[in-house]
Amino acid sequence: MESARDLLISLARRHAFADVGALAADVVDRTDEIEAVCEFGQRLLSLDAEDFAAEARAVPADLRRRARACTMPQTPKEQPRGALESLRPAYALLLEVIAIRWHRRELSPMVAALHIASEYLPLLAFEPVLGNAGDPVRWPRGLAAPGSRFGVIGERECDHTKAEQSAANRTLRVAGEPAEGWRAYFDRQHSQVAGALATCVASCRTPCAAMDWIEPARRERLAMRARVALTFADTPLVRLRHAAPVGHGFGVPSPEEVLDAWERSRTILGKNEVGNAATKDDGFPLPGLPSLFSAIATVSMTPSTLLADITAHLVRLLER
């Protein structure tokens, strides 16, 4: 290593944004822009991305725009709609984060990212039918049509849990709440709505009229994708979260344990044409994961290059 600056560049290329931001002031002059880019990158890598895109004025506009596409709007009327317009940019970022965490052997954050992906995967399945990614401002009227039990609290014939019934009830009215209520709903309940929708279309034992707004043949294809999304959430890979510090235990899974859990998960998933996509060797660290997300989304899903492009910009700043 020729110099401290070279060390910073090497760290940047490993996506060590927090380390570069902390050390830059001791190595280079005029670090404000470098520190801002590092904070921006670290928030993305940590999937802590509520309002960072608006704050990071030192970051090129294109990078901020791409990051904003992965975030939830913070008010019911905020434009653009970001991840409520489409979850595809967010899942591309999740794939990039999962790959980076794997290569850095940061397996607890990797498992946490997989858990997040599992929670919202049903909405990725619903997106082609909804025309958006589950925006409460734009739920179809048929969801609450006569004969629908969706969001009816205490309905005994509904297969939703009490928590899901509460979340479904809230999602039908949250568009009229103030910003604080809107944000609280996304913090606590939106992922439960995703699971509730999947249950409605894929596994309800006493179907109501909640899904009648979807044409039958299309509903049948959606049901298979939603069923696979629910299955993914209960695979050995996602259940590793409960053996890691981000869950309820104290162990950290090893790379061998992660790969073994994924192989067992692929066997479980590969029982229909959608889930069978997980068995493909697509070159990803967890082979078949992008192919699985693609099959559920009905479009090609590949890792984004957002963090790579932030890294390239950061390296250019360090080399000046």
Side-chain angles (χ1 to χ4, degrees):
M1 189 65 60
E2 294 181 0
S3 68
R5 187 185 297 264
D6 292 330
L7 175 60
L8 286 185
I9 291 171
S10 179
L11 287 170
R13 287 175 173 150
R14 283 181 49 80
H15 309 286
F17 300 114
D19 292 335
V20 175
L23 297 171
D26 296 329
V27 179
V28 298
D29 297 326
R30 300 180 62 183
T31 60
D32 289 352
E33 186 175 2
I34 289 171
E35 290 172 352
V37 172
C38 287
E39 182 181 5
F40 178 74
Q42 184 60 37
R43 287 193 181 187
L44 273 168
L45 183 62
S46 301
L47 301 172
D48 176 20
E50 290 184 356
D51 55 2
F52 66 91
E55 296 174 353
R57 299 300 181 188
V59 177
D62 177 63
L63 295 176
R64 285 189 283 123
R65 176 187 58 76
R66 290 163 61 191
R68 193 174 291 114
C70 301
T71 65
M72 292 291 183
Q74 298 300 292
T75 69
K77 296 183 180 180
E78 182 179 315
Q79 295 292 337
R81 300 303 283 168
L84 289 181
E85 184 65 37
S86 175
L87 274 169
R88 293 164 187 172
Y91 270 82
L93 175 62
L94 279 165
L95 287 170
E96 187 180 16
V97 168
I98 289 166
I100 289 171
R101 295 297 194 183
W102 172 261
H103 290 305
R104 288 170 58 92
R105 291 300 187 259
E106 295 170 344
L107 299 182
S108 290
M110 175 184 168
V111 169
L114 286 162
H115 177 76
I116 292 171
S118 75
E119 286 192 310
Y120 293 95
L121 200 54
L123 290 178
L124 194 67
F126 264 84
E127 186 172 325
V129 175
L130 286 169
N132 61 74
D135 189 341
V137 175
R138 295 181 285 173
W139 285 129
R141 292 182 180 180
L143 205 56
S148 170
R149 295 190 291 268
F150 188 86
V152 179
I153 295 176
E155 176 55 67
R156 294 184 178 182
E157 292 189 8
C158 179
D159 272 2
H160 293 161
T161 65
K162 289 182 180 179
E164 287 174 337
Q165 286 185 349
S166 177
N169 178 274
R170 179 92 180 273
T171 199
L172 295 175
R173 53 187 173 82
V174 73
E177 294 188 18
E180 294 79 6
W182 173 267
R183 289 192 291 269
Y185 161 79
F186 278 97
D187 284 343
R188 302 167 192 158
Q189 293 182 297
H190 194 59
S191 62
Q192 292 176 317
V193 171
L197 285 167
T199 296
C200 282
V201 76
S203 62
C204 182
R205 293 168 295 180
T206 55
C208 65
M211 295 290 118
D212 286 357
W213 54 277
I214 309 171
E215 184 268 331
R218 202 175 191 194
R219 187 165 67 233
E220 184 177 345
R221 295 191 295 272
L222 171 60
M224 183 178 292
R225 300 199 305 274
R227 194 174 298 116
V228 172
L230 288 174
T231 300
F232 179 78
D234 198 39
T235 55
L237 178 69
V238 176
R239 288 204 304 270
L240 281 174
R241 179 177 187 267
H242 300 289
V246 291
H248 306 295
F250 295 97
V252 177
S254 68
E256 293 75 20
E257 288 172 326
V258 171
L259 289 174
D260 176 69
W262 178 230
E263 283 305 314
R264 288 184 283 124
S265 301
R266 296 170 90 186
T267 300
I268 293 167
L269 289 162
K271 295 178 180 179
N272 61 50
E273 60 184 274
V274 174
N276 190 60
T279 65
K280 295 181 180 178
D281 186 358
D282 50 20
F284 195 70
L286 298 180
L289 188 64
S291 297
L292 176 67
F293 289 173
S294 298
I296 291 172
T298 72
V299 297
S300 177
M301 297 289 300
T302 57
S304 77
T305 61
L306 180 55
L307 289 165
D309 292 342
I310 292 168
T311 293
H313 177 66
L314 179 59
V315 168
R316 287 193 293 271
L317 294 178
L318 291 167
E319 289 177 336
R320 287 196 307 201

